[in-house]
Amino acid sequence: MQPSPNEDRAVRIDTHQERGALVLTVSGDLDIDSVPPLGRALETAAAEGSGPVVVDLSGVGFADSTTVNVLLQGQTALGGRLRLAAPSPFVQRLIGMIGLDSAIPVLTDIDEAIDATLPPGGLRTRRTSACTRWRPARTG
């Protein structure tokens, strides 16, 4: 029996704690039919935790506007706790085209996302070839 075409793109979200952060590793294709589990995971993180929440997007092959909406809702619920890490080339292109990196920190890998100090209201970005690197704004 052959798997259905949709089985190859099935979304999987693995969660684990790492150095005080909740890491959500997402794989598969995210669209209107498959993105609800990510929304639920972000809602749960907002309700239950207090540390950083890192969404690892390295395994996401496709994402659409519903994915962007879910991530923005996550940002509303989690505030500065939400960070996106290691977006796949497709997701990085989407982020860049719509400017999502101006609303949600996008970092090159999970370690950088966990370690990033992101004070509310004091973010500046420096573009690199792969991702936006978030740095605290300098005071004074």
Side-chain angles (χ1 to χ4, degrees):
M1 179 181 209
Q2 289 186 330
S4 76
N6 289 337
E7 283 183 39
D8 293 346
R9 5 178 272 127
V11 172
R12 180 178 172 140
I13 301 173
D14 295 317
T15 62
H16 70 276
Q17 291 286 330
E18 187 173 329
R19 298 187 347 256
L22 175 64
V23 178
L24 306 174
T25 301
V26 184
S27 59
D29 292 347
L30 294 169
D31 60 25
I32 194 166
D33 295 321
S34 62
V35 78
L38 177 59
R40 287 191 295 273
L42 292 171
E43 287 173 7
T44 300
E48 295 180 359
S50 61
V53 177
V54 176
V55 181
D56 174 6
L57 297 168
S58 61
V60 175
F62 174 82
D64 66 4
S65 61
T66 56
T67 305
V68 173
N69 188 38
V70 165
L71 292 171
L72 289 171
Q73 289 174 358
Q75 173 67 16
T76 299
L78 291 159
R81 295 175 49 210
L82 181 62
R83 298 104 191 265
L84 306 180
S88 67
F90 181 91
V91 175
Q92 182 61 41
R93 183 167 180 234
L94 175 65
I95 288 168
M97 283 179 19
I98 64 169
L100 185 61
D101 53 352
S102 68
I104 303 172
V106 180
L107 298 123
T108 53
D109 59 39
I110 294 170
D111 288 332
E112 186 178 19
I114 291 170
D115 295 337
T117 302
L118 306 170
L123 300 176
R124 291 193 183 158
T125 61
R126 177 173 55 94
R127 297 233 180 236
T128 65
S129 60
C131 293
T132 298
R133 299 187 58 122
W134 290 79
R135 299 284 182 232
R138 292 186 182 159
T139 56

